[in-house]
């Protein structure tokens, strides 16, 4: 039973050694251990704060990026719309110009046709007059070969002149 119940002297010396050990640890070891734990706690808290700050910055950057993409899309849509309007305007102007030039060409062609028609009519009149004169000359030449035919023609012309 002696093994189960320790002696009082042993308990005393164990208590003295334990208190001495606690005092030494408190004097030399606990302050550096506590300071190390506090430093480690500050480092962990700083890392957590930095993670929160980085998370907030990432959210802000993501929002800014979304805004920039939206602005870029709006600018792209505006440029495309302006280009389409300019294209439509250019096509309309080209169409109007082509119609005006076509009408001008048609008017010029009509005027040229009319001028050529008048020239052809004048030339035909001139040729008809020339042919008529040539025919009349040949007819008169044939009719007036002898003296009696000439006198008869003069009499006919004189009588028809008096009737008019």
């Amino acid at each position: 039973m002696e093994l189960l119940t320790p002696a009082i002297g042993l308990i005393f010396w164990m208590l003295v050694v334990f208190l001495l050990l606690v005092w030494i640890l408190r004097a030399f070891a606990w302050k550096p251990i506590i300071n190390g734990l506090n430093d480690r706690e500050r480092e962990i808290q700083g890392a957590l704060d930095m993670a929160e700050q980085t998370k907030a910055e990432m959210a802000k950057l993501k929002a800014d990026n979304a805004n920039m993409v939206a602005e870029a899309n709006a600018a792209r849509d505006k440029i495309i719309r302006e280009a389409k309007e300019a294209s439509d305007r250019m096509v309309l102007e080209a169409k109007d110009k082509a119609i005006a030039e076509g009408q001008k060409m048609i008017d010029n062609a009509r005027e040229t046709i009319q001028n050529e028609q008048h020239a052809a009519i004048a030339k035909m009149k001139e040729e008809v007059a020339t042919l008529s004169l040539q025919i009349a000359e040949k007819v008169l030449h044939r009719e007036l070969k002898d003296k009696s035919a000439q006198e008869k023609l003069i009499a006919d012309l004189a009588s028809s002149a008096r009737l008019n």
Side-chain angles (χ1 to χ4, degrees):
M1 274 284 217
E2 278 187 34
L3 291 173
L4 294 175
T5 56
I8 293 210
L10 183 64
I11 290 176
F12 173 75
W13 286 114
M14 282 175 70
L15 186 63
V16 170
V17 170
F18 177 73
L19 289 175
L20 183 63
L21 182 65
V22 168
W23 181 76
I24 291 173
L25 286 175
R26 183 171 183 209
F28 298 107
W30 280 355
K31 280 188 181 181
I33 290 173
I34 299 258
N35 287 341
L37 288 174
N38 287 339
D39 290 343
R40 179 72 180 147
E41 184 180 350
R42 281 191 297 272
E43 287 177 17
I44 291 171
Q45 188 61 44
L48 289 174
D49 292 343
M50 185 180 282
E52 283 294 323
Q53 184 180 6
T54 303
K55 185 178 177 182
E57 288 177 9
M58 287 299 290
K60 182 182 175 191
L61 287 175
K62 188 175 181 182
D64 290 345
N65 188 25
N67 287 341
M68 287 172 46
V69 166
E71 288 175 5
N73 286 339
R76 181 201 64 211
D77 292 343
K78 181 181 176 185
I79 290 170
I80 289 172
R81 186 175 50 253
E82 288 174 354
K84 184 172 179 1
E85 289 172 358
S87 172
D88 291 344
R89 189 172 48 249
M90 288 173 66
V91 166
L92 186 60
E93 287 173 3
K95 184 179 178 183
D96 291 343
K97 186 176 179 181
I99 289 172
E101 286 183 19
Q103 189 62 41
K104 185 177 177 182
M105 289 174 66
I106 289 171
D107 292 342
N108 287 341
R110 283 186 181 148
E111 186 177 331
T112 303
I113 290 171
Q114 245 181 356
N115 289 340
E116 299 226 357
Q117 190 178 27
H118 289 304
I121 289 172
K123 182 147 178 106
M124 279 179 31
K125 284 181 181 179
E126 183 181 320
E127 286 183 19
V128 166
T130 303
L131 282 174
S132 296
L133 285 176
Q134 287 175 357
I135 291 171
E137 183 182 329
K138 286 181 183 180
V139 167
L140 283 176
H141 184 60
R142 199 179 284 155
E143 290 286 326
L144 300 177
K145 277 188 180 179
D146 63 343
K147 182 104 171 137
S148 66
Q150 287 178 4
E151 288 175 357
K152 183 178 176 194
L153 180 62
I154 290 172
D156 288 341
L157 285 174
S159 68
S160 69
R162 286 183 202 146
L163 295 174
N164 286 335

